[in-house]
């Protein structure tokens, strides 16, 4: 949770945007593991939907904050790096991010 607060404070983004950025980062890590067959095979492929989710989240953050694509990318990369330091995200976190992604992509 402190990473979300740090992201929100550093980038002037909302807590919802910070949570979306954290989920984009975590799902990107899952997609990378799946791509390299290093685990997370118990999840359906998150690559295509994850990329769409990242695009939607990135566009929203750019629109609401005025940040550039590169700045938003850096936020996502920083979130991914933070997640890697703590080890693989727990299944409960990934599950929450999958729900968040599906809701966001369905327009809810």
């Amino acid at each position: 949770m402190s990473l979300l607060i740090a992201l929100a404070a550093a980038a002037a983004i909302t807590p919802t945007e910070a949570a979306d950025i954290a989920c984009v980062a975590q799902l990107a890590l899952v997609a990378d593991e799946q791509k390299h067959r290093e685990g997370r095979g118990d999840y359906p492929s998150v690559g295509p939907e994850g990329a769409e989710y990242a695009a939607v989240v990135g566009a929203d953050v750019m629109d609401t904050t005025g940040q550039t694509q590169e700045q938003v990318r850096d936020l996502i990369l920083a979130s991914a790096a933070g997640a890697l330091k703590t080890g693989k995200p727990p299944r409960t976190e990934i599950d929450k991010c999958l729900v968040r992604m599906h809701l966001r992509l369905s327009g809810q």
Side-chain angles (χ1 to χ4, degrees), residues 29 33 79-89:
L29 294 172
E33 287 179 13
S79 182
L84 284 173
K85 286 181 183 178
T86 61
K88 285 185 179 183

Side-chain angles (χ1 to χ4, degrees), residues 32 58 89-90 94 105-106:
D32 188 62
I94 298 301
L105 293 179
S106 69

Side-chain angles (χ1 to χ4, degrees), residues 26-89:
Q26 288 184 5
L27 293 175
L29 294 172
V30 170
D32 188 62
E33 287 179 13
Q34 289 176 331
K35 180 179 176 183
H36 294 99
R37 293 174 174 49
E38 296 172 353
R40 304 291 185 174
D42 53 333
Y43 287 107
S45 176
V46 297
E49 274 187 312
E52 183 181 353
Y53 178 52
V56 168
V57 169
D60 285 351
V61 173
M62 287 187 294
D63 287 346
T64 61
T65 66
Q67 293 188 51
T68 65
Q69 184 176 5
E70 291 77 19
Q71 289 170 316
V72 174
R73 180 204 61 220
D74 289 346
L75 289 173
I76 294 168
L77 291 174
S79 182
L84 284 173
K85 286 181 183 178
T86 61
K88 285 185 179 183

Side-chain angles (χ1 to χ4, degrees), residues 27 43 90-100 102:
L27 293 175
Y43 287 107
R91 184 173 188 85
T92 55
E93 289 300 312
I94 298 301
D95 290 344
K96 288 178 190 177
C97 286
L98 287 169
V99 169
R100 185 178 198 92
H102 289 128

